[in-house]
């Protein structure tokens, strides 16, 4: 019985792994998926066929791609989060005021998930997209979330996801991360100083309602526009103000 359950779990793991591989590769054939997952071509084909039959994938000229059924699931997941609707007016105002891109982020399974965005007239977005899941330790929105997460949970997240070194400025030591999170918690905002991309910076602030951490908001842009007093004082004041406005909007509902 235990062996049957193990086989069932392994099969399910392979199925979802194949779906994720198709997503990560932005479309692929059987051979590429089998190589990516380290499974036999026949196994890859069986899983791909099952996912097509259940409409999670589509197949065109031998290439498998993510189907729109996944979009339906994603929209349902997003719509259940009240924060997305409540935050948009403040996000749009922040984008207009700064001219940059503004992100709303939540945490799920130890990763940051980009939930919404607002675009200023000078906005650039080198790495973010709505729905994308990213590490929390090297982005401003992520550190703002971790700063209001219990230390035991932070350590568990780090243990599970590791502290990947993306640039020379990325934090790779858990104790150093915890020290920075304490600073973030005390001052009310987090900074990303080229920790994700060289020459790219961001300022983030947590969104807390009724003592519950809901997510964070962040504004990001190129270093030449995020420097000196603007980066260290002006933008933090604007971003924390937007976070406070969102919290007040939630309180008034």
């Amino acid at each position: 019985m235990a062996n049957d359950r193990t086989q069932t779990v392994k099969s399910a793991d392979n199925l979802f792994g194949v779906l994720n591989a198709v997503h990560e590769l932005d479309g692929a054939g059987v051979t590429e998926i089998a190589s990516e997952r380290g499974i036999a071509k026949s196994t890859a084909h069986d899983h791909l066929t099952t996912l097509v039959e259940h409409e999670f994938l589509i197949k065109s000229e031998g290439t498998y791609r993510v189907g729109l059924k996944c979009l339906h699931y994603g929209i349902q997941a997003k719509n259940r989060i009240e924060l997305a609707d409540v935050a948009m007016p403040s996000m749009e105002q922040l984008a207009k005021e700064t001219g940059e891109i503004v992100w709303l982020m939540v945490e799920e399974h130890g990763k940051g998930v980009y939930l919404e965005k607002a675009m200023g007239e000078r906005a650039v977005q080198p790495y973010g997209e709505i729905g994308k899941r990213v590490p929390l330790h090297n982005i401003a929105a992520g550190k703002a979330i971790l700063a209001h997460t219990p230390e035991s949970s932070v350590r568990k997240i780090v243990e599970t996801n590791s502290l990947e070194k993306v640039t020379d400025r990325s934090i790779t030591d858990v104790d150093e991360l915890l020290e920075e999170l304490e600073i973030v918690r005390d001052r009310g905002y987090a900074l990303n100083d080229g920790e994700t991309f060289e020459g790219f910076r961001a300022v983030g602030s947590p969104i807390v309602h009724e003592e519950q951490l809901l997510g964070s908001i962040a504004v990001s842009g190129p270093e030449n526009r995020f420097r000196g007093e603007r980066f260290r004082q002006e933008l933090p004041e604007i971003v924390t103000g937007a976070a406070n406005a969102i919290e007040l909007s939630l309180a008034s509902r």
Side-chain angles (χ1 to χ4, degrees):
M1 197 64 127
N3 287 338
D4 289 343
R5 183 179 184 280
T6 300
Q7 284 298 113
T8 300
V9 171
K10 183 177 180 181
S11 180
D13 183 64
N14 277 332
L15 181 70
F16 286 112
V18 166
L19 176 60
N20 188 63
V22 172
H23 166 66
E24 293 293 333
L25 295 169
D26 194 19
V30 175
T31 301
E32 193 174 2
I33 293 298
S35 176
E36 178 74 13
R37 291 293 301 164
I39 57 179
K41 286 178 63 175
S42 59
T43 303
H45 180 267
D46 288 345
H47 287 314
L48 288 165
T49 300
T50 298
L51 288 165
V52 170
E53 290 174 350
H54 287 272
E55 302 177 1
F56 287 97
L57 296 180
I58 58 172
K59 180 183 179 182
S60 176
E61 299 180 351
T63 298
Y64 296 85
R65 300 188 186 280
V66 174
L68 291 176
K69 189 172 186 177
C70 295
L71 173 65
H72 178 64
Y73 282 31
I75 289 175
Q76 183 187 60
K78 180 182 173 184
N79 286 345
R80 67 177 168 77
I81 301 177
E82 180 185 24
L83 179 62
D85 288 333
V86 175
M88 276 308 298
S90 294
M91 292 176 62
E92 290 171 348
Q93 176 60 37
L94 180 55
K96 181 178 180 180
E97 187 173 353
T98 62
E100 309 291 352
I101 189 168
V102 177
W103 289 105
L104 178 67
M105 174 169 283
V106 295
E107 178 271 333
E108 187 176 79
H109 296 297
K111 295 286 185 69
V113 182
Y114 292 108
L115 193 63
E116 272 292 6
K117 70 177 179 180
M119 304 284 283
E121 59 181 10
R122 299 180 297 175
V124 293
Q125 51 172 351
Y127 58 85
E129 58 184 87
I130 291 177
K132 185 175 182 179
R133 308 169 77 84
V134 296
L136 293 163
H137 72 282
N138 60 358
I139 56 175
K143 286 191 282 186
I145 288 174
L146 289 177
H148 290 266
T149 300
E151 182 178 324
S152 59
S153 297
V154 173
R155 289 186 179 275
K156 185 175 181 179
I157 288 172
V158 169
E159 182 180 341
T160 302
N161 299 299
S162 75
L163 297 177
E164 182 183 359
K165 183 176 182 179
V166 182
T167 74
D168 289 339
R169 296 183 179 181
S170 300
I171 295 176
T172 58
D173 178 77
V174 64
D175 291 326
E176 182 182 348
L177 175 63
L178 290 170
E179 288 178 8
E180 176 157 350
L181 295 181
E182 185 174 354
I183 294 172
V184 171
R185 193 160 46 249
D186 288 343
R187 70 188 179 192
Y189 63 89
L191 301 177
N192 173 0
D193 188 2
E195 297 165 54
T196 316
F197 283 92
E198 295 286 353
F200 202 75
R201 287 175 164 175
V203 180
S205 181
I207 299 170
V208 180
H209 176 55
E210 295 181 347
E211 299 185 356
Q212 180 182 358
L213 173 68
L214 300 182
S216 63
I217 187 173
V219 59
S220 58
E223 185 176 351
N224 69 308
R225 297 202 296 263
F226 281 60
R227 59 174 56 188
E229 185 176 329
R230 176 172 168 78
F231 180 51
R232 301 289 176 179
Q233 183 174 338
E234 180 183 336
L235 286 172
E237 289 179 358
I238 297 173
V239 173
T240 54
N244 289 339
I246 294 170
E247 292 167 350
L248 288 172
S249 295
L250 289 166
S252 66
R253 288 202 163 199

